Amino acid sequence: MQYRHSFHAGNFADVHKHIALLALISALQKKAKGFLFVDTHAGEGLYDLAGADSRRSNESEAGVTRLLAAARQPPDVLGAPIEEYLRALATLRQRLGGSAHAYPGSPLLAASAMREADQCVFVETLAQQARALQRVMDQPALLVRTAVRVVSGDGYQQLKALLPPPQRRGLVLIDPPYENPDEERQIATAFTEALTRFETGVYALWYPIKKQHDTDLWLARITRGIQQPVLAIEMCVTEPDSAVGLNGSGMLIINPPWQFDVDAAQWQPQLHDMLGGKSGTRVHWLVNEAG
Ligand code: SAM
């Protein structure tokens, strides 16, 4: 069956990934010069948590819905990335007429955070989903101010063609469904090619955590040969070896912004606790801790 993100929108992994994404964008925006954001696996951009797919899986209950409930009594000092994510979600829902069930995907969250100087390219392989994403970007109520291009195609191929960006500043999100047995090779090749073309880019790869040991071996294979600093930030809501399936969410970041590790070590445990997690979080360098 073809992967449909509408079953998973707003689950704990989406929340973790989207907070990390907004934190990366915010770090890049500390400099006035614009940058290119590429989302190689973009999805539809906007999901209805009251829709049939979402209701069938119920995954958002333990994700965004739980976080919003916990945010009514937040910790004394809520991590800035969590706060920013909650603010972005509230703003988008308000722009959509107060919908309590709308959930933005990575392209909509990113486009909403962008300044006029920044540019976005969103790639989605399924033509129908790419069209849906284009419609989202065209909605006047969502006030997307930045230059946005939606491409229907293969994210890895497009990435090659887009690098290096003319601005010489860029952030790439790679968020595959991991249903293709060839995905590992495609990711490793994409990293090698992208770093050859644009070695200073910031690259973020989302990955699932099922069994921690397997994940660690996989991370070592994926990053073999990379010279740039590579950080991994992880949050498990159930013990990494339990049989529930998806136990945790990870983000591998090549060339992470300064202090991204320190910040993640603060906001990840908060997020874990707000989501009622029963395991923990981890921040670790896979290659060359940035100096
Ligand atoms: N990044 C999205 C978000 O956070 O809202 C979710 C993306 S979802 C995990 C993965 C998406 O990638 C699916 O919509 C799928 O159709 C699409 N996809 C699968 N293979 C692809 C490829 N080779 N190139 C581009 N998109 C692909």
Side-chain angles (χ1 to χ4, degrees):
M1 203 181 96
Q2 223 154 31
Y3 176 90
R4 296 248 303 275
H5 195 65
S6 45
F7 283 94
H8 311 292
N11 70 3
F12 80 87
D14 240 15
V15 170
H16 177 246
K17 169 182 65 187
H18 292 156
I19 291 175
L21 172 64
L22 287 180
L24 286 169
I25 291 173
S26 156
L28 267 88
Q29 289 182 339
K30 288 201 172 123
K31 287 194 183 146
K33 189 170 181 215
F35 63 93
L36 174 70
F37 172 63
V38 183
D39 193 339
T40 58
H41 294 69
E44 293 166 66
L46 185 61
Y47 302 90
D48 177 9
L49 300 183
D53 292 353
S54 206
R55 275 190 290 126
R56 196 166 329 148
S57 71
N58 225 10
E59 289 185 20
S60 60
E61 283 295 314
V64 64
T65 306
R66 189 144 190 184
L67 180 68
L68 287 170
R72 286 192 211 115
Q73 287 180 312
D76 286 346
V77 186
L78 185 61
I82 303 179
E83 207 168 313
E84 200 178 326
Y85 166 84
L86 290 169
R87 206 176 316 119
L89 181 63
T91 304
L92 284 165
R93 285 183 166 180
Q94 194 186 0
R95 287 178 183 166
L96 288 164
S99 162
H101 302 292
Y103 188 77
S106 52
L108 180 53
L109 276 170
S112 307
M114 292 299 173
R115 309 160 299 183
E116 277 174 30
D118 306 320
Q119 275 183 309
C120 299
V121 179
F122 303 134
V123 191
E124 168 53 52
T125 195
L126 297 179
Q128 200 183 352
Q129 303 209 359
R131 280 196 297 274
L133 176 56
Q134 183 69 63
R135 283 196 296 275
V136 169
M137 291 298 142
D138 291 342
Q139 276 194 45
L142 288 171
L143 298 177
V144 172
R145 289 171 304 165
T146 191
V148 165
R149 191 153 64 86
V150 177
V151 180
S152 174
D154 175 61
Y156 300 113
Q157 287 303 323
Q158 292 293 326
L159 182 61
K160 223 159 64 168
L162 288 163
L163 298 181
Q167 307 89 329
R168 298 277 160 176
R169 297 192 71 215
L171 169 65
V172 176
L173 173 66
I174 304 179
D175 181 22
Y178 292 97
E179 294 203 319
N180 179 350
D182 201 30
E183 204 84 64
E184 179 179 327
R185 189 196 56 79
Q186 285 185 304
I187 294 168
T189 308
F191 278 162
T192 307
E193 289 174 345
L195 288 167
T196 304
R197 287 175 161 73
F198 182 40
E199 62 178 352
T200 56
V202 180
Y203 301 88
L205 169 74
W206 181 84
Y207 58 89
I209 301 170
K210 294 174 182 170
K211 290 190 166 40
Q212 188 77 62
H213 181 66
D214 292 352
T215 303
D216 288 348
L217 292 176
W218 181 84
L219 286 170
R221 290 197 302 272
I222 287 280
T223 52
R224 194 178 296 145
I226 296 182
Q227 307 292 321
Q228 286 79 356
V230 187
L231 181 74
I233 65 168
E234 299 178 343
M235 179 188 75
C236 286
V237 291
T238 39
E239 285 302 328
D241 292 322
S242 72
V244 294
L246 186 65
N247 295 305
S249 164
M251 190 81 107
L252 173 161
I253 303 146
I254 305 179
N255 292 322
W258 187 63
Q259 294 233 310
F260 199 79
D261 54 337
V262 176
D263 292 344
Q266 194 253 343
W267 66 259
Q268 282 201 140
Q270 278 191 341
L271 179 64
H272 172 270
D273 292 352
M274 290 173 86
L275 292 175
K278 295 187 170 44
S279 182
T281 63
R282 189 162 80 139
V283 175
H284 58 124
W285 288 96
L286 297 168
V287 187
N288 288 336
E289 174 166 353

